Amino acid sequence: MATQVFDFLPFDTSTQIAYLSLLLGIGLLLVLLKVKPMPATAKSASFGMVLFVLGLLTWVYYQAQNANVTVRDGQLELNIPLYGTQLPLASLTLAEARIIDLGDSDTSELFYRSNGVALVEYRLGWFKLKDERFGSDKALLNVTGSRHILMIPTSEGYLLILSVTQPEALLAALSAPTL
């Protein structure tokens, strides 16, 4: 089977503006810490922590622009910031996979983020769902919108919820027989 790569949907304008504003705000906080009179130890510790958060969020933003899903050698590779993983295709419950809109009444609602990032339309990481309608109340998300999202149950005890540019093509690639 040939390697197939599927890109994630890019951020929409409001998410881009919100994310860049967040980075700018953290950068301004660094300037404030630099000029604010504080004990040297407190200033160094505060500056270091804020600088770390700024670096981490900048890296997540950069990596999110290049995130993709790769299907090769009987594996699904999620190349996403912080939560990248590989799953054997055999662990995907493809018979129950579907393309959903997150706001529909027949779709489980996201209940809360247990570990991840959520900013406007961008959701990345581990989330809890309100119910176990699709076999689990845990989901690994990389979503940049709420419409035309691919949901794949796994035998690992969680769902994959992904907003790729071609969800039908990805589902077809996953379902194709391997030689």
Side-chain angles (χ1 to χ4, degrees):
M1 176 191 216
T3 298
Q4 295 179 288
V5 179
F6 300 88
D7 292 324
F8 283 96
L9 288 170
F11 292 160
D12 64 358
T13 304
S14 62
T15 303
Q16 288 269 18
I17 290 170
Y19 209 111
L20 293 174
S21 296
L22 175 65
L23 294 177
L24 179 63
I26 294 171
L28 290 174
L29 184 59
L30 283 174
V31 171
L32 177 67
L33 286 172
K34 190 75 172 162
V35 299
K36 181 167 176 48
M38 298 170 66
T41 305
K43 185 178 268 198
S44 296
S46 300
F47 195 83
M49 287 185 282
V50 174
L51 188 61
F52 173 77
V53 169
L54 178 62
L56 179 66
L57 290 175
T58 301
W59 179 82
V60 167
Y61 179 82
Y62 174 75
Q63 291 297 318
Q65 307 305 310
N66 302 308
N68 62 54
V69 178
T70 303
V71 180
R72 85 169 124 225
D73 301 327
Q75 296 275 322
L76 172 81
E77 295 177 22
L78 273 178
N79 302 308
I80 58 178
L82 302 175
Y83 302 95
T85 189
Q86 288 187 344
L87 291 167
L89 295 182
S91 72
L92 305 177
T93 313
L94 296 174
E96 297 175 26
R98 65 182 71 191
I99 296 171
I100 61 171
D101 289 343
L102 290 177
D104 284 354
S105 60
D106 64 337
T107 304
S108 290
E109 279 184 62
L110 298 177
F111 188 52
Y112 67 89
R113 179 183 70 241
S114 57
N115 182 341
V117 176
L119 184 66
V120 190
E121 290 286 318
Y122 182 50
R123 283 158 271 173
L124 168 69
W126 291 101
F127 286 72
K128 283 284 204 184
L129 305 175
K130 271 206 165 158
D131 55 50
E132 293 188 26
R133 186 177 311 178
F134 300 106
S136 179
D137 67 343
K138 294 189 300 185
L140 177 58
L141 275 71
N142 189 49
V143 174
T144 56
S146 60
R147 300 180 41 83
H148 219 59
I149 308 293
L150 181 58
M151 182 196 66
I152 308 169
T154 70
S155 61
E156 309 288 324
Y158 61 90
L159 305 171
L160 293 174
I161 301 179
L162 311 169
S163 61
V164 291
T165 55
Q166 301 171 309
E168 297 91 353
L170 174 55
L171 191 52
L174 294 171
S175 302
T178 56
L179 300 175

